[in-house]
Structure formats: structure tokens, C-alpha cells
Amino acid sequence: MNRGDGLVQRRRVVNSSSSSGFGQDGSNDLGHNDKLSGNSMDTDCSSQKDLNSNPTIDDDSDKETRLTLMEEVLLLGLKDKEGYTSFWNDCISSGLRGCILAELGFRGRVELEKAGMRKKGLLARKLLLKNDAPTGDVLLDEALKHLKDTDPPETVPSWIEYLSGETWNPLKLRYQLKNVRERLAKNLVEKGVLTTEKQNFLLFDMTTHPLTDNLAKSRLVKKIQEAVLGRWVNDAGRMDRRTLALVILAHAADVLENAFAPLCDDDYEVAMRRVRTLLDLDFEAEAAKPNANPVLWAVFAAFTK
């Protein structure tokens, strides 16, 4: 879960059919121990809008297919033709769980406890239920139920571990969200972004989800590239809040490289340097700013500690 050791090296070969879709969750079906997302709400806010604000419902006049943060990160990680994620990516499971908590923060369902007189850090503050109204998204509502049933509350890093099943506490294994990648992929199939196929891997058949809507993937890649190149503002508070979360959590899930691979070398270096600028921010200070959403910054901090 720790992605703070530096940015990944640029890969010269982008798509490799030799990689497998198995991961660290233990399943051989696209992404094991991962779960489906239902309805989605996404936002294309103005780059001048304060990313830290936390509306319950995001405004979006775009008629494009709306994807949740989890779906966007998974779409970045899937190989276009093969339809599965890399076997070597052991970060995407925890990254997707971070996306779930961030999405709940965007929708005003959770909040961090107050820092208090002792000025607790983001990673030490408990994640509290703010609104238990259903979101209409299967994954989010399941995570919301776990949060509601947990007393005393837990921290953001703990919740990422629990939802990923990466905890040594057997009493917390019941909080694990299973088959997240496969279920998110099926949700993208329903939205017309992916399709479903069967591939034979010698000893077994595996369900894969190749890309069908190239425009949706292109828009996603372009959004990330523009955020750190053409529309770079050098101020996290002025960036679109969802785009900022997408960039940082895509890095946490080790799929950000896929968005930058098509760039020329010069643009690639600039993009990666600006991503490092975002990762090196003082998250505690950002979370303390007026109208900030501490949940987002706590999720970011959990992957860069």
C-alpha cells in the first residue's frame, strides 16, 4: 500500500499480452477479491473550482458516460485488447479500496473526526459515518454498511486494510470486499465501455473484459494528461477535486503510467515531475485549509506515508 518510495520507471512496452490477470487477492478471474460498483456519479468541475469542497451531489452537465473513481482507476489498469490487469500489479487492490473511501467522501457519507486539542494527524483520526443514506452504488453501500456496523470507529489506513482483506486480525476479515475488480468490470460492461469474453490459459478459462468504447478510455487518459500538462495550475486547491484524486490514487494503484505512456519523452518527464509535486504536498496543511475535505487527504496520506 505504500507508494511513497518514488514514481515508477517509464515502461517502453505498454501492452504486453504475456501478463496475466491474476493478482494478490487470490482469484484467477480478472481481479479476485474485488467487487461490483452500481450506479455512478462523476464530476467535471472547472479547474478553478476548489477541489477541497465536499458537496453531497456533484454537478455535471456533461452527457458523457459517468464513471466512479473506482471505475476510472480500473479502466486505466485494464489492458485494452486482453481485458485484464497485469499479474505484477500488487497495488491495485488497495488502490481501489482507497477510491471507495474517497468516493464516499465526495458524496458526503463519511468524515474524519476533529483533530482536537492534541492535533491528531490525518492517519490517526477516525473515519466517522456522516450520512448512511444509500448511494445507489453496490460497492459504496456495502462499505457504508461496514462503517455503520463498526464501533469504535477505525482510521482510514485501517479501513483500506480491512476492505482489502490485508489484515492480520481475523475478526476484521468480514469487512473484506470481494471480487471488486470483476464486479467493477461488469459495471463497465453495462455502461458499454467494456465487453465480456472467455480466454483459455492452458489449464483454465478466464473471464476477460476487453475495451469496446475507445472514446471513453481516450477521454480518461486525456483528462489526466491535461491535468498535469496543459491545464496545470500548480495549486492543488484550484485543481478539479476528482481529477486530483484520480491522479494520486491511480499512482497508488500503479496504473498512472498507462496514461502517460503515449506522451513524448519531454512531456512525460514534465508530467511525472508534476505528479511528484502533488505527492510531496503537505497533506496535513491541505486538509486544514478552509472548505477542505480531510477524508480525501487522509486517503492520499495513507498511500504516501
Side-chain angles (χ1 to χ4, degrees):
M1 189 169 73
N2 186 357
R3 300 289 302 151
D5 294 332
L7 295 172
V8 295
Q9 295 290 326
R10 185 173 192 181
R11 304 185 186 95
R12 293 297 178 185
V13 179
V14 179
N15 291 325
S16 173
S17 59
S18 63
S19 297
S20 169
F22 309 168
Q24 299 299 315
D25 309 69
S27 166
N28 61 357
D29 195 6
L30 178 64
H32 42 272
N33 288 354
D34 285 322
K35 232 167 197 164
L36 170 70
S37 169
N39 300 330
S40 62
M41 294 172 61
D42 196 13
T43 304
D44 287 328
C45 302
S46 165
S47 62
Q48 300 298 316
K49 192 171 181 179
D50 183 359
L51 111 141
N52 291 315
S53 59
N54 183 27
T56 302
I57 299 178
D58 290 307
D59 296 326
D60 188 354
S61 58
D62 234 338
K63 293 183 179 180
E64 300 172 357
T65 302
R66 298 182 185 181
L67 305 180
T68 62
L69 193 57
M70 304 88 75
E71 291 166 349
E72 289 181 318
V73 169
L74 177 66
L75 185 57
L76 273 179
L78 286 174
K79 300 174 182 297
D80 293 354
K81 294 182 180 180
E82 293 86 348
Y84 51 78
T85 56
S86 171
F87 170 74
W88 306 108
N89 189 339
D90 59 356
C91 300
I92 193 169
S93 291
S94 59
L96 288 174
R97 272 61 175 198
C99 290
I100 291 173
L101 297 182
E103 190 73 46
L104 288 174
F106 279 133
R107 301 190 185 200
R109 297 307 197 275
V110 294
E111 62 182 353
L112 281 191
E113 67 174 342
K114 303 300 180 183
M117 296 294 292
R118 296 185 179 182
K119 299 295 182 181
K120 287 184 180 179
L122 290 171
L123 300 181
R125 293 161 65 180
K126 306 296 186 182
L127 187 64
L128 307 178
L129 185 66
K130 182 179 180 181
N131 182 353
D132 63 356
T135 65
D137 182 291
V138 176
L139 271 177
L140 297 181
D141 288 343
E142 184 173 351
L144 206 58
K145 183 179 184 300
H146 290 326
L147 283 160
K148 184 178 180 180
D149 294 342
T150 302
D151 189 30
E154 300 282 357
T155 62
V156 167
S158 294
W159 272 116
I160 292 175
E161 292 179 356
Y162 297 162
L163 297 178
S164 303
E166 299 174 356
T167 174
W168 293 99
N169 187 343
L171 299 179
K172 303 296 184 180
L173 290 176
R174 61 192 179 96
Y175 295 136
Q176 181 182 6
L177 299 180
K178 298 178 181 179
N179 303 318
V180 170
R181 264 176 276 188
E182 173 63 20
R183 299 177 69 183
L184 282 173
K186 289 181 179 178
N187 202 48
L188 288 170
V189 171
E190 293 177 0
K191 294 181 178 181
V193 179
L194 305 177
T195 188
T196 301
E197 294 181 357
K198 288 280 188 181
Q199 285 197 27
N200 181 268
F201 288 87
L202 297 179
L203 300 178
F204 57 88
D205 291 330
M206 186 177 79
T207 302
T208 61
H209 298 283
L211 181 69
T212 57
D213 187 350
N214 292 302
L215 182 58
K217 181 72 171 279
S218 297
R219 281 198 300 256
L220 177 60
V221 169
K222 182 180 179 181
K223 178 169 69 172
I224 295 175
Q225 292 177 355
E226 288 185 343
V228 294
L229 292 173
R231 296 185 179 181
W232 174 250
V233 293
N234 200 28
D235 181 357
R238 294 172 56 202
M239 288 181 67
D240 170 64
R241 56 178 177 264
R242 281 187 172 271
T243 303
L244 176 68
L246 176 60
V247 170
I248 293 180
L249 293 177
H251 175 264
D254 198 15
V255 299
L256 187 60
E257 168 75 14
N258 296 338
F260 293 158
L263 296 174
C264 67
D265 288 347
D266 289 343
D267 285 345
Y268 178 89
E269 294 299 329
V270 171
M272 295 303 260
R273 185 167 63 249
R274 289 173 175 172
V275 170
R276 171 49 61 191
T277 298
L278 295 176
L279 296 173
D280 288 341
L281 286 171
D282 184 342
F283 295 158
E284 297 286 348
E286 294 293 333
K289 290 181 178 179
N291 299 318
N293 184 343
V295 172
L296 294 182
W297 296 105
V299 172
F300 300 162
F303 290 103
T304 56
K305 62 182 180 180

